[in-house]
mmCIF file with all atom_site columns, all heavy atoms in Angstrom:
data_model
loop_
_atom_site.group_PDB
_atom_site.id
_atom_site.type_symbol
_atom_site.label_atom_id
_atom_site.label_alt_id
_atom_site.label_comp_id
_atom_site.label_asym_id
_atom_site.label_entity_id
_atom_site.label_seq_id
_atom_site.pdbx_PDB_ins_code
_atom_site.Cartn_x
_atom_site.Cartn_y
_atom_site.Cartn_z
_atom_site.occupancy
_atom_site.B_iso_or_equiv
_atom_site.pdbx_formal_charge
_atom_site.auth_seq_id
_atom_site.auth_comp_id
_atom_site.auth_asym_id
_atom_site.auth_atom_id
_atom_site.pdbx_PDB_model_num
ATOM 1   N N   . GLY A 1 1  ? 15.332 -22.147 6.945  1.00 98.00 ? 783 GLY A N   1
ATOM 2   C CA  . GLY A 1 1  ? 15.594 -20.903 7.657  1.00 98.00 ? 783 GLY A CA  1
ATOM 3   C C   . GLY A 1 1  ? 15.357 -19.677 6.811  1.00 98.00 ? 783 GLY A C   1
ATOM 4   O O   . GLY A 1 1  ? 14.985 -19.752 5.632  1.00 98.00 ? 783 GLY A O   1
ATOM 5   N N   . MET A 1 2  ? 15.596 -18.537 7.440  1.00 99.00 ? 784 MET A N   1
ATOM 6   C CA  . MET A 1 2  ? 15.312 -17.249 6.800  1.00 99.00 ? 784 MET A CA  1
ATOM 7   C C   . MET A 1 2  ? 16.193 -16.177 7.419  1.00 99.00 ? 784 MET A C   1
ATOM 8   O O   . MET A 1 2  ? 16.335 -16.084 8.639  1.00 99.00 ? 784 MET A O   1
ATOM 9   C CB  . MET A 1 2  ? 13.838 -16.886 7.004  1.00 99.00 ? 784 MET A CB  1
ATOM 10  C CG  . MET A 1 2  ? 13.424 -15.525 6.490  1.00 99.00 ? 784 MET A CG  1
ATOM 11  S SD  . MET A 1 2  ? 11.672 -15.221 6.865  1.00 99.00 ? 784 MET A SD  1
ATOM 12  C CE  . MET A 1 2  ? 11.487 -13.555 6.184  1.00 99.00 ? 784 MET A CE  1
ATOM 13  N N   . TRP A 1 3  ? 16.800 -15.367 6.567  1.00 98.00 ? 785 TRP A N   1
ATOM 14  C CA  . TRP A 1 3  ? 17.573 -14.212 7.030  1.00 98.00 ? 785 TRP A CA  1
ATOM 15  C C   . TRP A 1 3  ? 16.643 -13.043 7.310  1.00 98.00 ? 785 TRP A C   1
ATOM 16  O O   . TRP A 1 3  ? 15.677 -12.826 6.564  1.00 98.00 ? 785 TRP A O   1
ATOM 17  C CB  . TRP A 1 3  ? 18.596 -13.778 5.985  1.00 98.00 ? 785 TRP A CB  1
ATOM 18  C CG  . TRP A 1 3  ? 19.713 -14.748 5.751  1.00 98.00 ? 785 TRP A CG  1
ATOM 19  C CD1 . TRP A 1 3  ? 19.973 -15.442 4.603  1.00 98.00 ? 785 TRP A CD1 1
ATOM 20  C CD2 . TRP A 1 3  ? 20.737 -15.110 6.679  1.00 98.00 ? 785 TRP A CD2 1
ATOM 21  N NE1 . TRP A 1 3  ? 21.082 -16.216 4.765  1.00 98.00 ? 785 TRP A NE1 1
ATOM 22  C CE2 . TRP A 1 3  ? 21.578 -16.036 6.033  1.00 98.00 ? 785 TRP A CE2 1
ATOM 23  C CE3 . TRP A 1 3  ? 21.022 -14.755 8.003  1.00 98.00 ? 785 TRP A CE3 1
ATOM 24  C CZ2 . TRP A 1 3  ? 22.692 -16.613 6.653  1.00 98.00 ? 785 TRP A CZ2 1
ATOM 25  C CZ3 . TRP A 1 3  ? 22.123 -15.325 8.621  1.00 98.00 ? 785 TRP A CZ3 1
ATOM 26  C CH2 . TRP A 1 3  ? 22.943 -16.231 7.954  1.00 98.00 ? 785 TRP A CH2 1
ATOM 27  N N   . ASN A 1 4  ? 16.955 -12.282 8.354  1.00 98.00 ? 786 ASN A N   1
ATOM 28  C CA  . ASN A 1 4  ? 16.206 -11.062 8.655  1.00 98.00 ? 786 ASN A CA  1
ATOM 29  C C   . ASN A 1 4  ? 17.142 -10.006 9.238  1.00 98.00 ? 786 ASN A C   1
ATOM 30  O O   . ASN A 1 4  ? 17.988 -10.323 10.085 1.00 98.00 ? 786 ASN A O   1
ATOM 31  C CB  . ASN A 1 4  ? 15.111 -11.339 9.698  1.00 98.00 ? 786 ASN A CB  1
ATOM 32  C CG  . ASN A 1 4  ? 14.009 -12.215 9.173  1.00 98.00 ? 786 ASN A CG  1
ATOM 33  O OD1 . ASN A 1 4  ? 13.073 -11.757 8.527  1.00 98.00 ? 786 ASN A OD1 1
ATOM 34  N ND2 . ASN A 1 4  ? 14.118 -13.515 9.446  1.00 98.00 ? 786 ASN A ND2 1
ATOM 35  N N   . VAL A 1 5  ? 17.005 -8.782  8.776  1.00 98.00 ? 787 VAL A N   1
ATOM 36  C CA  . VAL A 1 5  ? 17.587 -7.608  9.439  1.00 98.00 ? 787 VAL A CA  1
ATOM 37  C C   . VAL A 1 5  ? 16.391 -6.733  9.769  1.00 98.00 ? 787 VAL A C   1
ATOM 38  O O   . VAL A 1 5  ? 15.963 -5.906  8.967  1.00 98.00 ? 787 VAL A O   1
ATOM 39  C CB  . VAL A 1 5  ? 18.597 -6.873  8.543  1.00 98.00 ? 787 VAL A CB  1
ATOM 40  C CG1 . VAL A 1 5  ? 19.205 -5.690  9.297  1.00 98.00 ? 787 VAL A CG1 1
ATOM 41  C CG2 . VAL A 1 5  ? 19.704 -7.820  8.084  1.00 98.00 ? 787 VAL A CG2 1
ATOM 42  N N   . PRO A 1 6  ? 15.797 -6.916  10.968 1.00 98.00 ? 788 PRO A N   1
ATOM 43  C CA  . PRO A 1 6  ? 14.452 -6.381  11.238 1.00 98.00 ? 788 PRO A CA  1
ATOM 44  C C   . PRO A 1 6  ? 14.376 -4.885  11.477 1.00 98.00 ? 788 PRO A C   1
ATOM 45  O O   . PRO A 1 6  ? 13.305 -4.307  11.382 1.00 98.00 ? 788 PRO A O   1
ATOM 46  C CB  . PRO A 1 6  ? 14.042 -7.148  12.497 1.00 98.00 ? 788 PRO A CB  1
ATOM 47  C CG  . PRO A 1 6  ? 15.337 -7.442  13.186 1.00 98.00 ? 788 PRO A CG  1
ATOM 48  C CD  . PRO A 1 6  ? 16.309 -7.722  12.079 1.00 98.00 ? 788 PRO A CD  1
ATOM 49  N N   . LYS A 1 7  ? 15.493 -4.267  11.785 1.00 98.00 ? 789 LYS A N   1
ATOM 50  C CA  . LYS A 1 7  ? 15.464 -2.827  12.051 1.00 98.00 ? 789 LYS A CA  1
ATOM 51  C C   . LYS A 1 7  ? 16.548 -2.146  11.215 1.00 98.00 ? 789 LYS A C   1
ATOM 52  O O   . LYS A 1 7  ? 17.721 -2.472  11.320 1.00 98.00 ? 789 LYS A O   1
ATOM 53  C CB  . LYS A 1 7  ? 15.675 -2.552  13.542 1.00 98.00 ? 789 LYS A CB  1
ATOM 54  C CG  . LYS A 1 7  ? 15.524 -1.077  13.905 1.00 98.00 ? 789 LYS A CG  1
ATOM 55  C CD  . LYS A 1 7  ? 15.666 -0.836  15.404 1.00 98.00 ? 789 LYS A CD  1
ATOM 56  C CE  . LYS A 1 7  ? 15.602 0.655   15.728 1.00 98.00 ? 789 LYS A CE  1
ATOM 57  N NZ  . LYS A 1 7  ? 15.857 0.934   17.155 1.00 98.00 ? 789 LYS A NZ  1
ATOM 58  N N   . TYR A 1 8  ? 16.128 -1.194  10.381 1.00 98.00 ? 790 TYR A N   1
ATOM 59  C CA  . TYR A 1 8  ? 17.017 -0.518  9.444  1.00 98.00 ? 790 TYR A CA  1
ATOM 60  C C   . TYR A 1 8  ? 17.744 -1.551  8.583  1.00 98.00 ? 790 TYR A C   1
ATOM 61  O O   . TYR A 1 8  ? 18.975 -1.683  8.607  1.00 98.00 ? 790 TYR A O   1
ATOM 62  C CB  . TYR A 1 8  ? 18.009 0.404   10.180 1.00 98.00 ? 790 TYR A CB  1
ATOM 63  C CG  . TYR A 1 8  ? 17.314 1.408   11.063 1.00 98.00 ? 790 TYR A CG  1
ATOM 64  C CD1 . TYR A 1 8  ? 17.692 1.600   12.381 1.00 98.00 ? 790 TYR A CD1 1
ATOM 65  C CD2 . TYR A 1 8  ? 16.239 2.160   10.595 1.00 98.00 ? 790 TYR A CD2 1
ATOM 66  C CE1 . TYR A 1 8  ? 17.044 2.505   13.212 1.00 98.00 ? 790 TYR A CE1 1
ATOM 67  C CE2 . TYR A 1 8  ? 15.580 3.070   11.405 1.00 98.00 ? 790 TYR A CE2 1
ATOM 68  C CZ  . TYR A 1 8  ? 15.981 3.232   12.713 1.00 98.00 ? 790 TYR A CZ  1
ATOM 69  O OH  . TYR A 1 8  ? 15.326 4.135   13.528 1.00 98.00 ? 790 TYR A OH  1
ATOM 70  N N   . SER A 1 9  ? 16.963 -2.301  7.836  1.00 98.00 ? 791 SER A N   1
ATOM 71  C CA  . SER A 1 9  ? 17.482 -3.413  7.047  1.00 98.00 ? 791 SER A CA  1
ATOM 72  C C   . SER A 1 9  ? 18.604 -2.951  6.127  1.00 98.00 ? 791 SER A C   1
ATOM 73  O O   . SER A 1 9  ? 18.656 -1.801  5.694  1.00 98.00 ? 791 SER A O   1
ATOM 74  C CB  . SER A 1 9  ? 16.354 -4.023  6.214  1.00 98.00 ? 791 SER A CB  1
ATOM 75  O OG  . SER A 1 9  ? 15.899 -3.101  5.225  1.00 98.00 ? 791 SER A OG  1
ATOM 76  N N   . ASN A 1 10 ? 19.494 -3.875  5.872  1.00 97.00 ? 792 ASN A N   1
ATOM 77  C CA  . ASN A 1 10 ? 20.622 -3.652  4.966  1.00 97.00 ? 792 ASN A CA  1
ATOM 78  C C   . ASN A 1 10 ? 20.209 -4.172  3.592  1.00 97.00 ? 792 ASN A C   1
ATOM 79  O O   . ASN A 1 10 ? 19.963 -5.377  3.434  1.00 97.00 ? 792 ASN A O   1
ATOM 80  C CB  . ASN A 1 10 ? 21.834 -4.433  5.497  1.00 97.00 ? 792 ASN A CB  1
ATOM 81  C CG  . ASN A 1 10 ? 23.073 -4.318  4.637  1.00 97.00 ? 792 ASN A CG  1
ATOM 82  O OD1 . ASN A 1 10 ? 23.026 -3.794  3.537  1.00 97.00 ? 792 ASN A OD1 1
ATOM 83  N ND2 . ASN A 1 10 ? 24.188 -4.837  5.141  1.00 97.00 ? 792 ASN A ND2 1
ATOM 84  N N   . PRO A 1 11 ? 20.054 -3.298  2.554  1.00 97.00 ? 793 PRO A N   1
ATOM 85  C CA  . PRO A 1 11 ? 20.498 -1.907  2.534  1.00 97.00 ? 793 PRO A CA  1
ATOM 86  C C   . PRO A 1 11 ? 19.378 -0.857  2.622  1.00 97.00 ? 793 PRO A C   1
ATOM 87  O O   . PRO A 1 11 ? 19.662 0.333   2.618  1.00 97.00 ? 793 PRO A O   1
ATOM 88  C CB  . PRO A 1 11 ? 21.135 -1.819  1.140  1.00 97.00 ? 793 PRO A CB  1
ATOM 89  C CG  . PRO A 1 11 ? 20.252 -2.687  0.286  1.00 97.00 ? 793 PRO A CG  1
ATOM 90  C CD  . PRO A 1 11 ? 19.812 -3.823  1.185  1.00 97.00 ? 793 PRO A CD  1
ATOM 91  N N   . GLU A 1 12 ? 18.105 -1.254  2.663  1.00 97.00 ? 794 GLU A N   1
ATOM 92  C CA  . GLU A 1 12 ? 17.032 -0.283  2.438  1.00 97.00 ? 794 GLU A CA  1
ATOM 93  C C   . GLU A 1 12 ? 16.674 0.563   3.660  1.00 97.00 ? 794 GLU A C   1
ATOM 94  O O   . GLU A 1 12 ? 16.005 1.579   3.523  1.00 97.00 ? 794 GLU A O   1
ATOM 95  C CB  . GLU A 1 12 ? 15.779 -1.003  1.947  1.00 97.00 ? 794 GLU A CB  1
ATOM 96  C CG  . GLU A 1 12 ? 15.931 -1.575  0.544  1.00 97.00 ? 794 GLU A CG  1
ATOM 97  C CD  . GLU A 1 12 ? 14.614 -2.097  0.014  1.00 97.00 ? 794 GLU A CD  1
ATOM 98  O OE1 . GLU A 1 12 ? 14.034 -3.007  0.638  1.00 97.00 ? 794 GLU A OE1 1
ATOM 99  O OE2 . GLU A 1 12 ? 14.154 -1.587  -1.019 1.00 97.00 ? 794 GLU A OE2 1
ATOM 100 N N   . GLY A 1 13 ? 17.065 0.124   4.853  1.00 97.00 ? 795 GLY A N   1
ATOM 101 C CA  . GLY A 1 13 ? 16.700 0.878   6.046  1.00 97.00 ? 795 GLY A CA  1
ATOM 102 C C   . GLY A 1 13 ? 15.263 0.667   6.477  1.00 97.00 ? 795 GLY A C   1
ATOM 103 O O   . GLY A 1 13 ? 14.693 1.494   7.196  1.00 97.00 ? 795 GLY A O   1
ATOM 104 N N   . VAL A 1 14 ? 14.649 -0.443  6.052  1.00 98.00 ? 796 VAL A N   1
ATOM 105 C CA  . VAL A 1 14 ? 13.260 -0.754  6.420  1.00 98.00 ? 796 VAL A CA  1
ATOM 106 C C   . VAL A 1 14 ? 13.208 -1.231  7.873  1.00 98.00 ? 796 VAL A C   1
ATOM 107 O O   . VAL A 1 14 ? 14.048 -2.009  8.320  1.00 98.00 ? 796 VAL A O   1
ATOM 108 C CB  . VAL A 1 14 ? 12.686 -1.848  5.498  1.00 98.00 ? 796 VAL A CB  1
ATOM 109 C CG1 . VAL A 1 14 ? 11.335 -2.346  6.009  1.00 98.00 ? 796 VAL A CG1 1
ATOM 110 C CG2 . VAL A 1 14 ? 12.555 -1.326  4.080  1.00 98.00 ? 796 VAL A CG2 1
ATOM 111 N N   . VAL A 1 15 ? 12.206 -0.775  8.607  1.00 98.00 ? 797 VAL A N   1
ATOM 112 C CA  . VAL A 1 15 ? 11.925 -1.280  9.947  1.00 98.00 ? 797 VAL A CA  1
ATOM 113 C C   . VAL A 1 15 ? 10.700 -2.186  9.842  1.00 98.00 ? 797 VAL A C   1
ATOM 114 O O   . VAL A 1 15 ? 9.632  -1.747  9.400  1.00 98.00 ? 797 VAL A O   1
ATOM 115 C CB  . VAL A 1 15 ? 11.648 -0.131  10.941 1.00 98.00 ? 797 VAL A CB  1
ATOM 116 C CG1 . VAL A 1 15 ? 11.304 -0.685  12.319 1.00 98.00 ? 797 VAL A CG1 1
ATOM 117 C CG2 . VAL A 1 15 ? 12.863 0.800   11.031 1.00 98.00 ? 797 VAL A CG2 1
ATOM 118 N N   . TYR A 1 16 ? 10.852 -3.445  10.211 1.00 98.00 ? 798 TYR A N   1
ATOM 119 C CA  . TYR A 1 16 ? 9.723  -4.371  10.138 1.00 98.00 ? 798 TYR A CA  1
ATOM 120 C C   . TYR A 1 16 ? 8.558  -3.832  10.958 1.00 98.00 ? 798 TYR A C   1
ATOM 121 O O   . TYR A 1 16 ? 8.730  -3.368  12.088 1.00 98.00 ? 798 TYR A O   1
ATOM 122 C CB  . TYR A 1 16 ? 10.105 -5.735  10.707 1.00 98.00 ? 798 TYR A CB  1
ATOM 123 C CG  . TYR A 1 16 ? 10.983 -6.612  9.834  1.00 98.00 ? 798 TYR A CG  1
ATOM 124 C CD1 . TYR A 1 16 ? 11.722 -6.096  8.777  1.00 98.00 ? 798 TYR A CD1 1
ATOM 125 C CD2 . TYR A 1 16 ? 11.078 -7.975  10.087 1.00 98.00 ? 798 TYR A CD2 1
ATOM 126 C CE1 . TYR A 1 16 ? 12.522 -6.911  8.009  1.00 98.00 ? 798 TYR A CE1 1
ATOM 127 C CE2 . TYR A 1 16 ? 11.873 -8.805  9.323  1.00 98.00 ? 798 TYR A CE2 1
ATOM 128 C CZ  . TYR A 1 16 ? 12.602 -8.272  8.282  1.00 98.00 ? 798 TYR A CZ  1
ATOM 129 O OH  . TYR A 1 16 ? 13.404 -9.093  7.527  1.00 98.00 ? 798 TYR A OH  1
ATOM 130 N N   . SER A 1 17 ? 7.369  -3.923  10.412 1.00 98.00 ? 799 SER A N   1
ATOM 131 C CA  . SER A 1 17 ? 6.178  -3.486  11.135 1.00 98.00 ? 799 SER A CA  1
ATOM 132 C C   . SER A 1 17 ? 5.844  -4.476  12.249 1.00 98.00 ? 799 SER A C   1
ATOM 133 O O   . SER A 1 17 ? 6.273  -5.637  12.232 1.00 98.00 ? 799 SER A O   1
ATOM 134 C CB  . SER A 1 17 ? 4.994  -3.372  10.180 1.00 98.00 ? 799 SER A CB  1
ATOM 135 O OG  . SER A 1 17 ? 4.584  -4.655  9.745  1.00 98.00 ? 799 SER A OG  1
ATOM 136 N N   . ASP A 1 18 ? 5.056  -4.030  13.201 1.00 98.00 ? 800 ASP A N   1
ATOM 137 C CA  . ASP A 1 18 ? 4.618  -4.906  14.289 1.00 98.00 ? 800 ASP A CA  1
ATOM 138 C C   . ASP A 1 18 ? 3.875  -6.118  13.737 1.00 98.00 ? 800 ASP A C   1
ATOM 139 O O   . ASP A 1 18 ? 4.028  -7.243  14.242 1.00 98.00 ? 800 ASP A O   1
ATOM 140 C CB  . ASP A 1 18 ? 3.726  -4.148  15.270 1.00 98.00 ? 800 ASP A CB  1
ATOM 141 C CG  . ASP A 1 18 ? 4.483  -3.085  16.071 1.00 98.00 ? 800 ASP A CG  1
ATOM 142 O OD1 . ASP A 1 18 ? 5.734  -3.155  16.105 1.00 98.00 ? 800 ASP A OD1 1
ATOM 143 O OD2 . ASP A 1 18 ? 3.837  -2.199  16.646 1.00 98.00 ? 800 ASP A OD2 1
ATOM 144 N N   . GLU A 1 19 ? 3.061  -5.898  12.718 1.00 98.00 ? 801 GLU A N   1
ATOM 145 C CA  . GLU A 1 19 ? 2.310  -7.003  12.132 1.00 98.00 ? 801 GLU A CA  1
ATOM 146 C C   . GLU A 1 19 ? 3.243  -8.034  11.509 1.00 98.00 ? 801 GLU A C   1
ATOM 147 O O   . GLU A 1 19 ? 3.053  -9.252  11.670 1.00 98.00 ? 801 GLU A O   1
ATOM 148 C CB  . GLU A 1 19 ? 1.340  -6.490  11.060 1.00 98.00 ? 801 GLU A CB  1
ATOM 149 C CG  . GLU A 1 19 ? 0.531  -7.600  10.410 1.00 98.00 ? 801 GLU A CG  1
ATOM 150 C CD  . GLU A 1 19 ? -0.341 -7.117  9.259  1.00 98.00 ? 801 GLU A CD  1
ATOM 151 O OE1 . GLU A 1 19 ? -0.381 -5.898  9.001  1.00 98.00 ? 801 GLU A OE1 1
ATOM 152 O OE2 . GLU A 1 19 ? -0.978 -7.989  8.621  1.00 98.00 ? 801 GLU A OE2 1
ATOM 153 N N   . THR A 1 20 ? 4.267  -7.555  10.798 1.00 98.00 ? 802 THR A N   1
ATOM 154 C CA  . THR A 1 20 ? 5.224  -8.474  10.170 1.00 98.00 ? 802 THR A CA  1
ATOM 155 C C   . THR A 1 20 ? 5.966  -9.289  11.223 1.00 98.00 ? 802 THR A C   1
ATOM 156 O O   . THR A 1 20 ? 6.116  -10.508 11.094 1.00 98.00 ? 802 THR A O   1
ATOM 157 C CB  . THR A 1 20 ? 6.228  -7.692  9.308  1.00 98.00 ? 802 THR A CB  1
ATOM 158 O OG1 . THR A 1 20 ? 5.536  -7.095  8.204  1.00 98.00 ? 802 THR A OG1 1
ATOM 159 C CG2 . THR A 1 20 ? 7.321  -8.607  8.768  1.00 98.00 ? 802 THR A CG2 1
ATOM 160 N N   . VAL A 1 21 ? 6.422  -8.620  12.280 1.00 98.00 ? 803 VAL A N   1
ATOM 161 C CA  . VAL A 1 21 ? 7.137  -9.319  13.348 1.00 98.00 ? 803 VAL A CA  1
ATOM 162 C C   . VAL A 1 21 ? 6.234  -10.357 14.004 1.00 98.00 ? 803 VAL A C   1
ATOM 163 O O   . VAL A 1 21 ? 6.652  -11.494 14.281 1.00 98.00 ? 803 VAL A O   1
ATOM 164 C CB  . VAL A 1 21 ? 7.669  -8.314  14.397 1.00 98.00 ? 803 VAL A CB  1
ATOM 165 C CG1 . VAL A 1 21 ? 8.289  -9.053  15.578 1.00 98.00 ? 803 VAL A CG1 1
ATOM 166 C CG2 . VAL A 1 21 ? 8.706  -7.379  13.770 1.00 98.00 ? 803 VAL A CG2 1
ATOM 167 N N   . ALA A 1 22 ? 4.968  -9.992  14.229 1.00 98.00 ? 804 ALA A N   1
ATOM 168 C CA  . ALA A 1 22 ? 4.024  -10.926 14.856 1.00 98.00 ? 804 ALA A CA  1
ATOM 169 C C   . ALA A 1 22 ? 3.788  -12.140 13.962 1.00 98.00 ? 804 ALA A C   1
ATOM 170 O O   . ALA A 1 22 ? 3.717  -13.285 14.454 1.00 98.00 ? 804 ALA A O   1
ATOM 171 C CB  . ALA A 1 22 ? 2.707  -10.216 15.152 1.00 98.00 ? 804 ALA A CB  1
ATOM 172 N N   . ARG A 1 23 ? 3.667  -11.921 12.662 1.00 98.00 ? 805 ARG A N   1
ATOM 173 C CA  . ARG A 1 23 ? 3.446  -13.035 11.740 1.00 98.00 ? 805 ARG A CA  1
ATOM 174 C C   . ARG A 1 23 ? 4.673  -13.950 11.670 1.00 98.00 ? 805 ARG A C   1
ATOM 175 O O   . ARG A 1 23 ? 4.539  -15.181 11.606 1.00 98.00 ? 805 ARG A O   1
ATOM 176 C CB  . ARG A 1 23 ? 3.083  -12.514 10.346 1.00 98.00 ? 805 ARG A CB  1
ATOM 177 C CG  . ARG A 1 23 ? 1.703  -11.908 10.282 1.00 98.00 ? 805 ARG A CG  1
ATOM 178 C CD  . ARG A 1 23 ? 1.406  -11.296 8.915  1.00 98.00 ? 805 ARG A CD  1
ATOM 179 N NE  . ARG A 1 23 ? 1.221  -12.301 7.871  1.00 98.00 ? 805 ARG A NE  1
ATOM 180 C CZ  . ARG A 1 23 ? 0.876  -12.002 6.615  1.00 98.00 ? 805 ARG A CZ  1
ATOM 181 N NH1 . ARG A 1 23 ? 0.678  -10.719 6.270  1.00 98.00 ? 805 ARG A NH1 1
ATOM 182 N NH2 . ARG A 1 23 ? 0.725  -12.952 5.710  1.00 98.00 ? 805 ARG A NH2 1
ATOM 183 N N   . LEU A 1 24 ? 5.849  -13.369 11.716 1.00 98.00 ? 806 LEU A N   1
ATOM 184 C CA  . LEU A 1 24 ? 7.069  -14.176 11.721 1.00 98.00 ? 806 LEU A CA  1
ATOM 185 C C   . LEU A 1 24 ? 7.159  -15.022 12.990 1.00 98.00 ? 806 LEU A C   1
ATOM 186 O O   . LEU A 1 24 ? 7.496  -16.211 12.946 1.00 98.00 ? 806 LEU A O   1
ATOM 187 C CB  . LEU A 1 24 ? 8.298  -13.278 11.595 1.00 98.00 ? 806 LEU A CB  1
ATOM 188 C CG  . LEU A 1 24 ? 8.555  -12.668 10.221 1.00 98.00 ? 806 LEU A CG  1
ATOM 189 C CD1 . LEU A 1 24 ? 9.567  -11.530 10.312 1.00 98.00 ? 806 LEU A CD1 1
ATOM 190 C CD2 . LEU A 1 24 ? 9.053  -13.741 9.249  1.00 98.00 ? 806 LEU A CD2 1
ATOM 191 N N   . ALA A 1 25 ? 6.849  -14.404 14.126 1.00 98.00 ? 807 ALA A N   1
ATOM 192 C CA  . ALA A 1 25 ? 6.939  -15.114 15.407 1.00 98.00 ? 807 ALA A CA  1
ATOM 193 C C   . ALA A 1 25 ? 5.926  -16.254 15.495 1.00 98.00 ? 807 ALA A C   1
ATOM 194 O O   . ALA A 1 25 ? 6.167  -17.255 16.183 1.00 98.00 ? 807 ALA A O   1
ATOM 195 C CB  . ALA A 1 25 ? 6.733  -14.143 16.558 1.00 98.00 ? 807 ALA A CB  1
#
């Protein structure tokens, strides 16, 4: 498995890009 906080990640506030989300899916 893998942990993800895809929107405003804890702690950096990163929003996963569309490309990253597509590759994960």
